[in-house]
């Protein structure tokens, strides 16, 4: 999803190819980047339009820090919300909201994490917005009640065509999560 959002923001034409990363990486993906087995960083390739990372080295490092924070924290905690129950889920919910509150502090009064334009941190965080309603339903909480700036930010991002057309459909995300929960013996 991040790649789709970044390419859409930069208005780069591409051919979409669904990849089932849960079952390994396809030959095409490995062929595209045989060393790191990851997709090359888009901002380095298409520098001329809609830069996602700031040019200032300090601000660039901060953006990369927050994206890493999201990858290492929001990802794990949100997954635990829908793959656990009881005390483990409660601990995940507590940690999730602690992270969201830190992200709200970083967002401050800016429209986007990078300032006036959608950037790297926004793109790192946006895929999780597709699951907000699922996390709320399964975890029995309201993100908006505790972190209204995060919901306002998500709604602002969703108004951008490049974001709206590149995010996963919430219905598909919900279906996948419920399928996983069922395979884990929940519901």
């Amino acid at each position: 999803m991040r790649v789709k959002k970044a390419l859409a923001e930069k208005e780069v034409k591409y051919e979409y190819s669904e990849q089932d990363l849960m079952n390994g990486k396809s030959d095409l993906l490995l062929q595209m980047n045989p060393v790191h087995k990851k997709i090359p960083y888009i901002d380095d390739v298409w520098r001329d339009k809609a830069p996602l990372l700031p040019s200032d080295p300090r601000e660039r490092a901060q953006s990369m820090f927050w994206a890493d924070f999201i990858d290492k924290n929001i990802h794990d905690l949100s997954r635990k919300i829908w793959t656990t129950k009881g005390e483990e889920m409660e601990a995940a919910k507590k940690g999730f909201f602690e992270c969201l509150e830190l992200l709200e502090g970083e967002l401050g009064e800016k429209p986007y994490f990078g300032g006036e334009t959608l950037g790297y941190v926004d793109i790192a965080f946006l895929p999780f917005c597709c699951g907000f309603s699922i996390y709320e339903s399964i975890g029995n909480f309201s993100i908006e009640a505790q972190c209204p700036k995060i919901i306002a930010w998500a709604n602002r991002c969703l108004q951008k065509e490049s974001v709206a057309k590149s995010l996963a459909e919430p219905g598909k995300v919900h279906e996948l999560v419920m399928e996983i929960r069922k395979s884990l013996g929940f519901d």
Side-chain angles (χ1 to χ4, degrees), residues 104-112 116 149 156:
E104 268 196 334
E106 175 60 22
L107 179 62
E109 299 303 319
K110 301 175 291 199
Y112 303 101
E116 296 300 314
K149 287 182 183 180
R156 189 176 311 108

Side-chain angles (χ1 to χ4, degrees), residues 1-2 4-5 74 78 82 96 100 122-138 143 150-151 153-155 157-158 162-178:
M1 273 192 273
R2 288 181 185 179
K4 284 174 62 176
K5 281 187 286 311
I74 298 294
S78 63
W82 52 268
F96 181 72
L100 290 183
D122 302 292
I123 287 174
F125 193 24
L126 276 165
F128 298 99
C129 297
C130 297
F132 279 0
S133 63
I134 298 162
Y135 312 151
E136 290 175 322
S137 174
I138 293 170
I143 296 172
I150 293 295
I151 296 299
W153 162 83
N155 290 336
C157 290
L158 288 170
S162 63
V163 172
K165 70 180 184 182
S166 60
L167 281 177
E169 294 176 31
K172 284 186 176 182
V173 175
H174 185 267
E175 188 178 302
L176 175 64
V177 166
M178 297 314 286

